[in-house]
Amino acid sequence: MAGLFDTIKLVGVLIFAIPAALAGLEMVATGSRPYIGSALIVCAVVLVLVQRRLTTPGDVPGLLAKKVTGSAARTPEREEE
């Protein structure tokens, strides 16, 4: 289920990032406001990167559950005789 929630969060961020990036791209391409356009593109990229890398308090239980199940689900290695 974590994959589904991560995808929904990413779509939510992309709803804001894509229009900002496109507006910035248009400003840079036409030369009307290159500095503001560049700032919009940078903001869009930062939005997506922060969403992908930031760990919120709501993510902590899921991360702990992954670690616990990962260590408990390991198969025992064969002991040499």
Side-chain angles (χ1 to χ4, degrees):
M1 283 308 266
L4 178 65
F5 292 129
D6 289 340
T7 303
I8 292 171
K9 287 180 190 177
L10 180 63
V11 168
V13 169
L14 288 176
I15 287 173
F16 295 106
I18 289 174
L22 289 176
L25 205 63
E26 180 184 352
M27 289 179 190
V28 169
T30 60
S32 61
R33 298 179 185 170
Y35 296 116
I36 295 174
S38 299
L40 283 173
I41 293 170
V42 168
C43 286
V45 170
V46 168
L47 271 172
V48 174
L49 289 178
V50 165
Q51 190 275 332
R52 299 294 293 168
R53 297 289 178 193
L54 186 67
T55 302
T56 61
D59 297 336
V60 173
L63 293 172
L64 290 176
K66 263 187 200 175
K67 286 185 180 180
V68 169
T69 56
S71 63
R74 289 189 185 151
T75 57
E77 298 194 19
R78 289 187 173 185
E79 295 179 14
E80 293 187 30
E81 296 176 28

